[in-house]
């Protein structure tokens, strides 16, 4: 083995019980750190804060904040899945392909629909529809 050769990473079996929960929390934090390297995710975070400000201006009730929190969390989750799709697509199809383009476009559509849902909900609160 030369100095440039690295040993293959070993698959570590999951720990049981509390150890598994601790490990899973670490993986989730690592995922959020990775997601925040994406410009779109940072823009969605800013959008989320702006929408919270609008809810305050509109005099939203506690239920509105809870509902918006769920919608916002779903938007971030869909963005994370979209980023995962893009990462895997780039890995398995580094060259251009129609299937890779379609996969990325569909992921983008999912995020776009969640953005519309978030904006629509806040707009509905502002109009007194919910």
């Amino acid at each position: 083995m030369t100095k440039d050769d690295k040993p293959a990473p070993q698959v570590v079996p999951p720990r049981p019980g509390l150890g598994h929960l601790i490990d899973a929390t670490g993986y989730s934090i690592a995922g959020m750190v990775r997601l925040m390297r994406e410009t779109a995710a940072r823009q969605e975070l800013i959008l989320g804060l702006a929408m919270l400000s609008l809810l305050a201006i509109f005099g939203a009730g506690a239920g509105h904040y809870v509902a918006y929190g769920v919608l916002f969390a779903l938007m971030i989750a869909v963005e994370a899945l979209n980023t995962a799709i893009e990462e895997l697509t780039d890995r398995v199809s580094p060259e251009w392909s129609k299937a890779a383009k379609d996969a990325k476009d569909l992921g983008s559509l999912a995020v776009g629909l969640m953005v519309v849902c978030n904006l629509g909900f806040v707009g509905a609160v502002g109009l007194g529809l919910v």
Side-chain angles (χ1 to χ4, degrees), residues 47-110:
L47 175 69
L49 294 173
M51 294 299 103
L52 280 176
S53 298
L54 281 178
L55 287 175
I57 291 168
F58 296 153
H64 293 121
Y65 284 102
V66 170
Y68 183 70
V70 170
L71 273 175
F72 179 74
L74 287 170
M75 180 174 65
I76 295 301
V78 171
E79 180 63 49
L81 291 172
N82 180 49
T83 300
I85 288 167
E86 290 177 352
E87 288 281 336
L88 288 171
T89 301
D90 289 344
R91 170 72 183 199
V92 300
S93 183
E95 71 288 340
W96 188 92
S97 73
K98 177 82 167 97
K101 181 187 182 316
D102 289 347
K104 289 182 174 191
D105 289 350
L106 289 167
S108 180
L109 170 65

Side-chain angles (χ1 to χ4, degrees), residues 10-34:
Q10 298 298 310
V11 175
V12 178
R15 298 188 301 173
L18 185 58
H20 178 74
L21 179 62
I22 291 168
D23 292 345
T25 301
Y27 302 145
S28 295
I29 291 168
M32 183 57 90
V33 168
R34 168 59 187 90

